[in-house]
Amino acid sequence: MQDLLYFSQQLINGLTIGSAYALIAIGYTMVYGIIGMINFAHGEIYMIGAYTALIAITGLTALGIAWLPLILIVALLCAMLVSSSMGWAVERIAYRPVRGRHRLIPLISAIGMSIFLQNYVHLAQGSRNVGFPALIEGGFNFSADGAFEMSLSYMQITIFVTTLVCMTALSLFISRSRTGRACRAVSQDLGMASLLGIDTNRIISATFIIGAALAAVAGLLLGMYYGSVDPLFGFIAGLKAFTAAVLGGIGSIPGAMLGGLILGVSESMTSGYLSGEYKDVVSFGLLILILLFKPTGLLGKPEVEKI
Amino acid sequence: MTTSLKKLVTAVSTSVALMGAGYAAADIQIGIAGPMTGPVAQYGDMQFSGARMAIAQINAKGGVMGEKLVAVEYDDVCDPKQAVTVANRLVNDGVRYVIGHLCSSSTQPASDIYEDEGILMITPASTSPEVTERGYELVFRTIGLDSMQGPVAGNYIASLNPERVAVVHDKQQYGEGIATAVRDTLKDKGIEIAMFEGVTAGDKDFSSLVTKLKQADVDYVYFGGYHPELGLILRQARQAGLDAVFMGPEGVGNNDINTIAGEASEGLLVTLPPSFDEKEENQELVNAFEAKGEDPSGPFVLTSYAAVQLVAQGIEAANSQDPFDVAAALRSGTFETPIGTVEYDKAGDMKSFEFVVYEWHSDGSKTPLN
């Protein structure tokens, strides 16, 4: 019983962090699916989302507003708005002018953008860690007669439910809406979609905006969950989310979700049963293994050479 | 108006000081090198204020061997590159004794130049063991080493009769070094180490670690590393309902940990250099600082004061102004300073430097426990 509780606790820890990875991974996978580039500045967009949410929360609290749902919704909207504009601007400034060139050029442009955004936040917000208020506290506790008590916090439930809602909404949007259909068309064949009268520039911008908005949601959630943000906040998270996207099959939206969860659970199980020192070894080892046997990732479709 | 007046006064007094240095060739120049500007300038202020006070008081008592001490100040911005430039300027200015530098990363490269050029250096703040590990003859410090803190923390935890202790570190030279020392001290005392594990510096999610600590049912957790990681561990442990007592080295003991951990930093144990300004025998000195409107409570004020005193006492003991003679005198004698009785070993480290265990409070204050 004791061991089962311990296992479930590590599973909960892993699923929580994994679903947040998935939210960030969507941005990588959608952009790759459509224009075939890896947007390395995406981790920074997530970090900016977290900072914006924190600024909004601090501002609202300073104004004397204490009603939690209002604070959360306003913070979420602010973060999504700022991050989306950033995502859009980054694409316009750094990627569109070099689109269609050699593959390396947008990649280098993306790395440059990432360095720029990181240092911009360093200058604007300082390089210290900033505390993030814990707005959602408390949770359920489960205990057998033993000493170990399993806890499932409201914050973890919030992260899980929000991710689920976002993912469902995104899937519906992609499969049902007009823009979603255009997205799929552009991802299948950019040139053809353009010939058929789809404004591909608009669709590409929309992809960046959606990815950035989801990253902002993750920024707010993880900022609250961890408890602090700093300008390097997006670096590791971005790397992990990118791994999740590749693991699940880059270009595939359900793949990003699956990849995120697998990565999160394997990390927490490694820390829980082996040692925290091997966490990254196991998760990146897993990535290599999957890529060796299934180079397109778990749910990725084999790439058909476009003629 | 006031600022321009201040600038004018500073300019005039600087030129007077420079003229003074130029004219009085018989005086003994004491270089003070540390950050006057940049991110850690507040620590530099402590260093300069302590050293200036010591120079003024020694001169008031008639100087050293009948000669006055003259302060020559340099700004290294806590930047290793600037520190090298400063060291070269010091050489050109003919200074033979340096109080500094502050940051270990600055002290390290500057000390190479001082050793080559025959300049005696006493750092009042650099705690990295490497500074004195290279067998240099002219390098000293008036502060403890990172490696001295581990045993202090280990012995303190042992004195509380813990059942199970976990030792966690950030896998970096500083953190893992201290954590290993704590673990070894505890093992020698026969205390069970439930866990010895590293976390990745820069990581944010410690929920798995916290769960593991809960499962291991530890009552004390020692963390070797800095405040960003410990702050998050404290906070996530509090949320998960872990009720162990945490302890860390001076790398976690600053106010940033309160902004990260919030309430959860209450009751944290930290090893820090003692507050020398609270010692009874230093009250006269403390009053002298307060009369000047300066705060003697910073960790590096009295260590800098002591460093200047040691140079003066060393010159007198050696009865020579040659830095090598002074260094030999410092290694062989015992000296009374506001930071206690100082005795040096061969490397240039103090034979004993006590670290004190403090209980940290979430409002940033602390109370000494031993």
Side-chain angles (χ1 to χ4, degrees):
Chain A
M1 192 62 202
Q2 191 78 2
D3 293 340
L4 185 68
L5 281 178
Y6 180 70
F7 176 80
S8 333
Q9 179 75 74
Q10 293 293 17
L11 191 68
I12 292 171
N13 295 340
L15 288 176
T16 313
I17 198 80
S19 45
Y21 286 159
L23 272 181
I24 312 170
I26 292 289
Y28 284 103
T29 217
M30 279 181 76
V31 166
Y32 184 87
I34 286 188
I35 51 173
M37 75 163 279
I38 294 160
N39 177 14
F40 275 112
H42 191 58
E44 271 53 58
I45 301 285
Y46 151 80
M47 177 265 294
I48 287 171
Y51 265 99
T52 314
L54 177 61
I55 292 167
I57 291 171
T58 321
L60 288 175
T61 329
L63 286 175
I65 295 166
W67 195 50
L68 191 60
L70 182 70
I71 294 182
L72 287 179
I73 287 168
V74 173
L76 189 67
L77 289 179
C78 286
M80 286 170 83
L81 196 73
V82 171
S83 283
S84 305
S85 336
M86 280 285 182
W88 176 80
V90 164
E91 196 268 333
R92 277 310 287 267
I93 295 165
Y95 306 152
R96 191 172 294 183
V98 295
R99 194 194 301 153
R101 307 280 175 81
H102 189 276
R103 281 194 143 197
L104 271 180
I105 296 171
L107 198 73
I108 292 167
S109 184
I111 294 171
M113 210 59 215
S114 155
I115 296 172
F116 168 77
L117 289 174
Q118 236 174 55
N119 285 284
Y120 165 71
V121 176
H122 260 296
L123 280 176
Q125 298 290 327
S127 40
R128 288 177 159 195
N129 281 263
V130 194
F132 213 107
L135 294 175
I136 304 176
E137 286 184 289
F140 302 107
N141 285 317
F142 305 92
S143 137
D145 31 330
F148 185 78
E149 199 175 56
M150 190 187 92
S151 64
L152 172 61
S153 70
Y154 295 139
M155 190 65 228
Q156 289 175 318
I157 300 173
T158 312
I159 292 180
F160 207 68
V161 170
T162 315
T163 308
L164 217 61
V165 169
C166 286
M167 291 295 174
T168 319
L170 181 70
S171 306
L172 287 177
F173 175 78
I174 295 288
S175 61
R176 302 282 164 84
S177 77
R178 206 181 151 75
T179 318
R181 196 157 58 226
C183 277
R184 279 181 289 146
V186 171
S187 101
Q188 277 169 12
D189 192 332
L190 193 123
M192 194 61 201
S194 153
L195 283 177
L196 289 175
I198 295 173
D199 185 349
T200 47
N201 278 336
R202 221 187 97 246
I203 297 303
I204 292 170
S205 290
T207 316
F208 275 88
I209 289 172
I210 294 168
L214 291 177
V217 176
L220 168 70
L221 292 174
L222 284 188
M224 281 197 289
Y225 183 55
Y226 295 152
S228 86
V229 284
D230 61 88
L232 293 176
F233 190 58
F235 179 70
I236 292 183
L239 208 63
K240 293 283 168 65
F242 174 62
T243 311
V246 176
L247 196 68
I250 192 147
S252 147
I253 290 170
M257 182 83 198
L258 185 69
L261 291 180
I262 291 178
L263 192 68
V265 172
S266 73
E267 277 188 357
S268 79
M269 289 302 166
T270 317
S271 313
Y273 288 98
L274 212 58
S275 160
E277 288 159 42
Y278 293 111
K279 192 168 87 171
D280 293 348
V281 179
V282 169
S283 46
F284 290 112
L286 198 69
L287 176 72
I288 293 172
L289 262 182
I290 289 180
L291 288 186
L292 274 179
F293 292 103
K294 209 164 178 316
T296 49
L298 289 174
L299 301 182
K301 291 186 195 75
E303 200 167 326
V304 184
E305 196 62 44
K306 291 168 192 164
I307 304 162
Chain B
M1 187 60 206
T2 358
T3 35
S4 57
L5 201 67
K6 262 188 192 163
K7 272 185 192 156
L8 187 69
V9 173
T10 326
V12 170
S13 54
T14 318
S15 48
V16 169
L18 286 175
M19 277 158 59
Y23 280 111
D27 289 345
I28 301 172
Q29 295 187 48
I30 305 281
I32 313 172
M36 292 179 191
T37 56
V40 293
Q42 71 268 37
Y43 288 132
D45 290 344
M46 298 175 193
Q47 180 191 352
F48 287 105
S49 120
R52 283 186 202 127
M53 175 64 84
I55 290 172
Q57 290 196 344
I58 290 169
N59 285 342
K61 284 184 187 149
V64 180
M65 291 173 71
E67 290 176 30
K68 297 264 186 245
L69 300 181
V70 178
V72 199
E73 300 179 0
Y74 301 88
D75 183 11
D76 74 357
V77 206
C78 185
D79 172 8
K81 294 192 289 292
Q82 293 276 350
V84 171
T85 314
V86 160
N88 285 320
R89 269 176 52 209
L90 241 134
V91 174
N92 288 335
D93 292 351
V95 178
R96 297 162 86 188
Y97 313 97
V98 188
I99 308 304
H101 296 218
L102 190 104
C103 303
S104 296
S105 48
S106 290
T107 310
Q108 186 98 356
S111 62
D112 291 335
I113 296 168
Y114 298 142
E115 180 77 14
D116 284 348
E117 299 291 335
I119 295 171
L120 180 86
M121 184 199 84
I122 304 184
T123 169
S126 300
T127 55
S128 165
E130 284 161 29
V131 171
T132 46
E133 257 173 14
R134 294 161 299 169
Y136 283 180
E137 209 176 324
L138 297 175
V139 173
F140 294 86
R141 56 178 134 208
T142 49
I143 191 122
L145 271 71
D146 293 340
S147 52
M148 292 173 173
Q149 274 183 79
V152 173
N155 286 325
Y156 185 80
I157 294 180
S159 73
L160 300 170
N161 296 321
E163 279 186 33
R164 266 188 298 279
V165 181
V167 179
V168 182
H169 58 82
D170 66 355
K171 293 194 279 192
Q172 304 209 21
Q173 189 188 4
Y174 166 70
E176 190 168 356
I178 293 183
T180 311
V182 170
R183 181 195 59 187
D184 295 345
T185 313
L186 285 168
K187 267 190 179 163
D188 287 345
K189 301 248 169 189
I191 286 154
E192 189 189 336
I193 306 291
M195 230 172 100
F196 182 76
E197 198 169 305
V199 297
T200 309
D203 222 348
K204 299 275 174 194
D205 176 39
F206 297 106
S207 55
S208 296
L209 174 76
V210 167
T211 304
K212 216 168 161 182
L213 291 170
K214 250 172 100 175
Q215 166 84 333
D217 195 20
V218 293
D219 34 14
Y220 289 90
V221 182
Y222 187 84
F223 179 78
Y226 293 100
H227 59 274
E229 286 79 30
L230 183 61
L232 290 176
I233 294 175
L234 282 173
R235 181 168 167 156
Q236 294 173 16
R238 168 67 62 94
Q239 275 163 5
L242 174 73
D243 54 359
V245 176
F246 281 80
M247 184 167 193
E250 106 272 38
V252 307
N254 66 60
N255 280 335
D256 277 5
I257 200 162
N258 301 326
T259 57
I260 301 169
E263 291 280 294
S265 66
E266 181 69 44
L268 169 71
L269 303 173
V270 186
T271 44
L272 289 169
S275 311
F276 299 112
D277 59 303
E278 280 163 17
K279 285 191 173 168
E280 214 169 297
E281 61 269 28
N282 290 338
Q283 282 323 299
E284 206 177 314
L285 185 56
V286 168
N287 293 338
F289 274 106
E290 275 162 5
K292 266 181 82 181
E294 289 175 353
D295 176 17
S297 69
F300 307 127
V301 179
L302 293 183
T303 55
S304 298
Y305 184 97
V308 175
Q309 260 195 337
L310 284 164
V311 170
Q313 294 183 20
I315 293 174
E316 275 171 352
N319 199 21
S320 154
Q321 286 186 26
D322 180 55
F324 287 96
D325 294 342
V326 178
L330 285 177
R331 281 203 173 80
S332 55
T334 48
F335 304 92
E336 287 304 323
T337 69
I339 60 168
T341 309
V342 174
E343 261 187 284
Y344 279 109
D345 64 9
K346 206 170 164 299
D349 293 322
M350 294 184 339
K351 281 187 179 158
S352 70
F353 185 87
E354 58 169 333
F355 278 93
V356 178
V357 181
Y358 286 94
E359 183 179 3
W360 198 263
H361 301 296
S362 56
D363 60 358
S365 61
K366 56 185 195 288
T367 39
L369 292 179
N370 61 352

